[in-house]
Amino acid sequence: MILTTKRLVLREFEEEDWPAVLAYQSDPRYLRYYDWMHRTEQDVRAFVRMFIAWREGQPRTKFQLAITLAPGGQLIGNCGIRMKTPRAREGDLGYELDPRYWGCGYAPEAARALLAFGFQELGLHRIWAQCIAENVASAHVLEKIGMRQEGRLRQNEWMKGRWWDTLQYAILETEYYNAYS
C-alpha cells in the first residue's frame, strides 16, 4: 500500500527501515513524550517487524506506514490508522516524526493523507487521536487537520515517574467531507 502527497510517500515498512527509525527514536526530543527512556537496535527491529506483521491481517485492521520524503525516499517517521475490528466504523490515528523534520508541515500532510484513506477507502465514520497535553505541537497538528478536542483526561497516563494528562481529538466523516470537499 502506498499513499502519496505533494512532498511525501507513505509506504509499507520493510525490514531494512530499522536503522532510520532507531536514529530518530534515539533523539531525546523524540523520547520526551514516550514511555521509553532509550531505544536499542533490538527494540526498533521488533517495532518495525510488528508493523510488517500487521500487513498480514485478513481482513486488515491496522495500517502503519513509513513516512518518506518524495524525492529520495528518506524515512522521516511513521503514521497509521488502526481499527479494533474489521467492521469498526472508527479508527485511531497516530504519527511520529524525526525531530529534525519538525515544523516543516510533514506531520499534518501525512495525517491528512490518513484521513482521506480512512474516510474514503476504509469507510470510517469517526477517526480519533490522543496526545499528551503538554505536547502542544502534536495537539496543533490534530487541530490543523480539522480534528476537534473532545476532552482532557486528567492524569491518565503514567510515564517517566509521573502522571500526564492526555487530550482526546476526533473528526467525523461529515466534518471531513465538509472541510475537504
Side-chain angles (χ1 to χ4, degrees):
M1 182 177 120
I2 295 176
L3 303 176
T4 58
T5 70
K6 183 178 178 183
R7 303 178 297 163
L8 303 172
V9 175
L10 312 180
R11 62 161 175 80
E12 301 285 3
F13 270 94
E14 301 299 335
E15 284 277 345
E16 61 271 9
D17 289 330
W18 74 265
V21 176
L22 178 61
Y24 77 76
Q25 286 190 351
S26 297
D27 188 307
R29 294 170 295 173
Y30 166 87
L31 290 167
R32 181 174 180 193
Y33 297 115
Y34 287 92
D35 196 26
W36 309 311
M37 299 300 282
H38 67 282
R39 301 292 277 158
T40 66
E41 177 181 333
Q42 183 179 359
D43 295 333
V44 175
R45 282 181 178 269
F47 184 76
V48 169
R49 279 192 212 108
M50 175 179 65
F51 297 150
I52 293 169
W54 286 358
R55 294 192 307 221
E56 306 306 317
Q58 292 299 323
R60 189 169 177 183
T61 58
K62 297 177 181 180
F63 301 84
Q64 200 71 28
L65 304 173
I67 302 172
T68 65
L69 296 175
Q74 181 180 353
L75 191 147
I76 63 167
N78 75 78
C79 59
I81 286 186
R82 297 153 301 264
M83 301 173 298
K84 288 183 181 176
T85 68
R87 291 192 181 131
R89 296 283 320 274
E90 175 181 76
D92 72 280
L93 178 143
Y95 49 83
E96 62 182 36
L97 207 59
D98 184 327
R100 294 174 295 173
Y101 296 92
W102 289 355
C104 300
Y106 293 128
E109 189 172 331
R112 278 189 201 100
L114 288 175
L115 290 181
F117 174 70
F119 289 121
Q120 296 171 16
E121 303 298 322
L122 298 177
L124 298 179
H125 171 71
R126 180 176 183 273
I127 298 174
W128 63 273
Q130 194 173 59
C131 68
I132 297 293
E134 291 178 28
N135 191 346
V136 176
S138 189
H140 181 67
V141 167
L142 297 172
E143 292 164 4
K144 195 171 188 176
I145 65 170
M147 288 190 158
R148 289 197 210 164
Q149 185 179 330
E150 294 185 327
R152 181 185 193 107
L153 303 174
R154 298 178 310 135
Q155 297 186 8
N156 73 311
E157 185 81 27
W158 177 259
M159 176 174 65
K160 296 188 175 166
R162 65 172 268 221
W163 288 104
W164 300 71
D165 291 1
T166 60
L167 301 176
Q168 181 81 27
Y169 283 86
I171 185 170
L172 302 176
E173 181 180 21
T174 53
E175 295 167 337
Y176 169 79
Y177 284 110
N178 286 338
Y180 292 99
S181 295

